[in-house]
């Protein structure tokens, strides 16, 4: 047992080393939570292991999940031909289609309130502004890219101003020409967007007479005396 | 009487106790870190069938999350967009790009693109997106700054303890409903405390802490 001390030292060193590694590892949580230290932040592509996988994944039909029940693998079934989804206003065809028979109708078939316009503005900014621009001039961010540049319509063209409301509604619903439709936008929201597009068009053609008197005064001082019938926004 | 135990065993019980204590501490700490979603999930970044880039689409183009994740404020499920959503632009933009070939193929065949799912609560958990985003809880609190990610990765553990951390103190996270989709929103801790308290009180926010709230 002459080399006993060396063995003992080596043995202690190994144990201490292992303990140190586990110790630091054990403290990762403490370090992250209390000291904000993150070492060895990792990215991995293998699905995370589930430590206790009991009932984590059940054999039920789930949204946007494939299903083994049907041969095409889709859990969401297409509606049977000729059926109508619940909540679709079949008894009010104008509300749904923007048409009376085979003619376009005009007028917003739901009550136009300030709330509806605010909703329309929000929906327009989410769904339309990337292409048509916040003001409807056809100059949104995406419209600057090759392919869409010069293709996106300005909503202030006389041709579109003159279109019946039902036609704009249908453009949103089914798209038109180079523009695809937005069938997922709800019926009310589509009409809210139509109302907002009308407001944008109106605002661009507004004259001084259209604004409340107190604001008229502000505008007049800002711009100097002008003909009250000229559009306020006549930079084009 | 001879000594049954040699002298060196005098300290043995203490040494054994010490080692067991240290090991116990390490095992508990290690397990609560390495065997929990903090380690198993955070950082999960699967390859996707199309190299879709949120930082380009959401930040550079300024697209609202709701342009694509259309159901998030209406439904419990936040849907991944349909191919038509992509084609609205990609019928025109980058028509020839090889990176978009799977999207065009899906558009022609009608087969869905099989995006790899990243965030997925166990099936015994009831989770509802609309209930959160309409109450001033931003995507950022639960998914991190997706608008700066080129490839989406699992940013938060989304474990039960993590859910409860917010359910117990929603005032630390809640914000104005108009800022929910603004992932670049910042606020000082001090202001957050004042605003958070005010909103929680005004809206009467009471996230469930009972088991049946989330395990229904």
């Amino acid at each position: 047992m002459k080399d006993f001390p060396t063995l003992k030292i080596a043995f202690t060193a190994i144990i201490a080393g292992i303990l140190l590694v586990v110790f630091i590892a054990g403290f990762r949580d403490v370090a992250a939570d209390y000291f904000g230290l993150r070492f060895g932040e990792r990215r991995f592509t293998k699905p995370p292991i589930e430590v206790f996988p009991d009932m984590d994944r059940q054999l039920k039909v789930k949204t946007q999940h494939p299903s083994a029940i049907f041969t095409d693998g889709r859990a969401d079934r297409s509606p049977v031909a000729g059926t109508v989804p619940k909540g679709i206003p079949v008894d009010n065809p104008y509300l749904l289609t923007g048409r009376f028979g085979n003619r376009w109708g005009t007028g917003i078939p739901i009550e136009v309130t300030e709330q509806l316009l605010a909703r329309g503005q929000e929906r327009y900014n989410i769904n339309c502004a990337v292409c048509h621009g916040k003001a409807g001039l056809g100059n949104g961010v995406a419209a600057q890219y090759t392919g869409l540049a010069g293709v996106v319509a300005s909503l202030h063209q006389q041709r579109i101003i003159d279109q019946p409301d039902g036609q704009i509604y249908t453009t949103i619903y089914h798209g038109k020409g180079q523009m695809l439709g937005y069938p997922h936008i709800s019926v009310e929201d589509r009409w809210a967007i139509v109302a907002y597009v009308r407001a944008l068009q109106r605002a661009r053609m507004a004259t001084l007479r259209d604004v409340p008197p107190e604001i008229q005064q502000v505008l007049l001082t800002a711009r100097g005396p002008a003909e009250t019938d000229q559009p306020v926004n006549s930079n084009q | 009487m001879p000594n049954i135990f040699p002298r060196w065993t005098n300290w043995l019980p203490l040494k054994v106790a010490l080692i067991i204590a240290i090991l116990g501490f390490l095992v508990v700490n290690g397990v609560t870190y390495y065997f929990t979603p903090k380690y198993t999930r955070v950082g999960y970044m699967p390859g996707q069938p199309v190299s879709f880039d949120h930082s380009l689409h959401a930040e550079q183009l300024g697209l609202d999350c709701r342009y694509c994740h259309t159901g998030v404020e209406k439904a419990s499920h936040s849907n991944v967009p349909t191919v038509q959503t992509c084609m609205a632009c990609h019928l025109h933009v980058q028509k020839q790009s090889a990176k978009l070939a799977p999207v065009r193929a899906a558009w022609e065949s009608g087969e869905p693109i099989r995006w790899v799912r990243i965030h997925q609560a166990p099936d015994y958990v009831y989770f509802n997106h609309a209930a959160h985003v309409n109450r001033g809880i931003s995507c950022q609190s639960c998914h991190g700054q997706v608008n700066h990610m080129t490839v989406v990765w699992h940013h938060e553990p989304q474990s039960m303890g993590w859910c409860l951390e917010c359910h117990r103190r929603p005032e630390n996270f809640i914000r104005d409903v108009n800022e929910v989709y603004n992932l670049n929103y910042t606020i000082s801790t001090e202001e957050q405390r004042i605003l958070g308290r005010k909103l929680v009180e005004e809206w009467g926010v009471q996230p469930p802490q009972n088991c049946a709230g989330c395990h229904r």
Side-chain angles (χ1 to χ4, degrees):
Chain A
M1 285 308 257
K2 210 177 131 231
D3 52 356
F4 177 63
T6 359
L7 244 181
K8 197 175 166 189
I9 290 171
F11 189 67
T12 321
I14 290 170
I15 296 285
I18 293 175
L19 283 185
L20 194 72
V21 170
V22 186
F23 194 71
I24 292 174
F27 264 119
R28 277 176 81 127
D29 201 9
V30 180
D33 283 2
Y34 297 99
F35 304 105
L37 297 174
R38 295 201 173 272
F39 37 94
E41 200 168 282
R42 48 182 211 139
R43 300 280 182 279
F44 54 99
T45 52
K46 284 220 191 86
I49 43 161
E50 278 154 355
V51 179
F52 299 111
D54 330 67
M55 297 189 74
D56 275 9
R57 308 289 164 231
Q58 302 162 15
L59 269 178
K60 58 187 182 189
V61 169
K62 286 166 284 181
T63 328
Q64 293 199 316
H65 261 261
S67 158
I69 298 173
F70 300 100
T71 43
D72 64 357
R74 293 183 193 205
D76 293 336
R77 308 313 302 160
S78 303
V80 177
T83 56
V84 178
K86 210 173 147 198
I88 289 285
V90 267
D91 45 347
N92 187 346
Y94 177 59
L95 180 61
L96 180 62
T97 62
R99 290 165 189 264
F100 289 110
N102 52 12
R103 279 182 308 109
W104 298 116
T106 201
I108 311 279
I110 49 184
E111 201 189 341
V112 181
T113 56
E114 208 176 324
Q115 248 176 333
L116 186 83
L117 278 176
R119 176 83 184 164
Q121 177 177 39
E122 188 192 53
R123 296 296 117 179
Y124 177 91
N125 287 342
I126 293 169
N127 292 295
C128 320
V130 254
C131 289
H132 290 287
K134 287 227 159 143
L137 289 164
N139 59 355
V141 183
Q144 322 286 326
Y145 284 84
T146 331
L148 274 172
V151 183
V152 178
S154 162
L155 302 179
H156 297 286
Q157 299 167 48
Q158 196 58 41
R159 181 175 67 78
I160 297 173
I161 294 172
D162 293 340
Q163 281 177 0
D165 294 337
Q167 192 173 353
I168 295 189
Y169 172 89
T170 304
T171 302
I172 300 173
Y173 195 170
H174 298 295
K176 178 163 176 187
Q178 300 295 310
M179 173 179 147
L180 292 182
Y182 289 81
H184 61 76
I185 300 180
S186 74
V187 172
E188 280 74 23
D189 284 349
R190 280 179 223 139
W191 284 111
I193 294 174
V194 174
Y196 183 67
V197 167
R198 289 305 188 208
L200 282 178
Q201 293 172 338
R202 181 79 203 281
R204 200 166 163 74
M205 294 186 299
T207 63
L208 259 191
R209 290 221 186 92
D210 292 324
V211 292
E214 354 28 298
I215 299 176
Q216 272 184 24
Q217 216 43 55
V218 178
L219 285 176
L220 278 177
T221 18
R223 181 181 127 150
E227 317 83 83
T228 37
D229 286 331
Q230 283 303 307
V232 177
N233 202 353
S234 61
N235 55 332
Q236 193 203 318
Chain B
M1 191 176 154
N3 281 337
I4 300 176
F5 298 104
R7 198 180 158 77
W8 62 268
T9 56
N10 281 357
W11 291 100
L12 193 63
L14 197 68
K15 282 183 187 161
V16 169
L18 200 69
I19 287 178
I20 288 179
I22 292 177
L23 276 180
F25 173 80
L26 292 175
V27 168
V28 169
N29 258 308
V31 168
T32 52
Y33 187 79
Y34 289 106
F35 288 14
T36 60
K38 278 183 199 158
Y39 182 77
T40 57
R41 282 190 198 144
V42 173
Y44 177 40
M45 188 171 83
Q48 298 287 352
V50 180
S51 57
F52 175 76
D53 178 355
H54 275 79
S55 69
L56 173 84
H57 289 86
E59 190 68 16
Q60 201 175 314
L61 298 180
L63 274 174
D64 193 287
C65 311
R66 290 167 288 178
Y67 184 92
C68 292
H69 302 291
T70 52
V72 70
E73 53 186 342
K74 288 179 285 202
S76 66
H77 179 76
S78 169
N79 60 308
V80 166
T82 57
V83 177
Q84 177 162 349
T85 314
C86 311
M87 289 312 273
C89 289
H90 287 296
L91 264 183
H92 309 287
V93 179
Q94 293 280 6
K95 268 197 254 194
Q96 311 296 333
S97 165
K99 285 191 197 161
L100 280 156
V103 180
R104 289 190 298 266
W107 175 244
E108 269 147 34
S109 68
E111 277 292 306
I113 302 175
R114 289 180 188 263
W115 300 107
V116 180
R117 181 134 181 202
I118 304 156
H119 302 80
Q120 194 166 22
D123 290 345
Y124 50 75
V125 174
Y126 170 80
F127 180 76
N128 187 330
H129 271 92
H132 289 90
V133 296
N134 294 335
R135 283 291 212 167
I137 303 296
S138 170
C139 323
Q140 189 189 350
S141 305
C142 303
H143 295 296
Q145 284 202 306
V146 179
N147 58 334
H148 295 305
M149 297 180 187
T150 35
V151 182
V152 186
W153 51 281
H154 213 302
H155 190 276
E156 298 292 329
Q158 300 202 340
S159 59
M160 177 163 148
W162 173 87
C163 303
L164 284 167
E165 209 170 282
C166 176
H167 277 207
R168 292 193 181 115
R169 306 199 165 277
E171 63 271 18
N172 293 348
F173 303 91
I174 205 158
R175 55 174 83 166
D176 197 276
V177 276
N178 294 325
E179 300 291 350
V180 166
Y181 305 94
N182 172 9
L183 272 63
N184 292 323
Y185 175 85
T186 49
I187 186 167
S188 71
T189 338
E190 188 56 28
E191 284 172 70
Q192 175 67 48
R193 233 192 42 228
I194 299 166
L195 178 75
R197 288 233 180 96
K198 183 172 141 260
L199 292 180
V200 166
E201 194 161 310
E202 258 174 34
W203 302 343
V205 172
Q206 276 180 327
Q209 288 176 39
N210 57 328
C211 317
C214 305
H215 303 293
R216 22 180 110 173

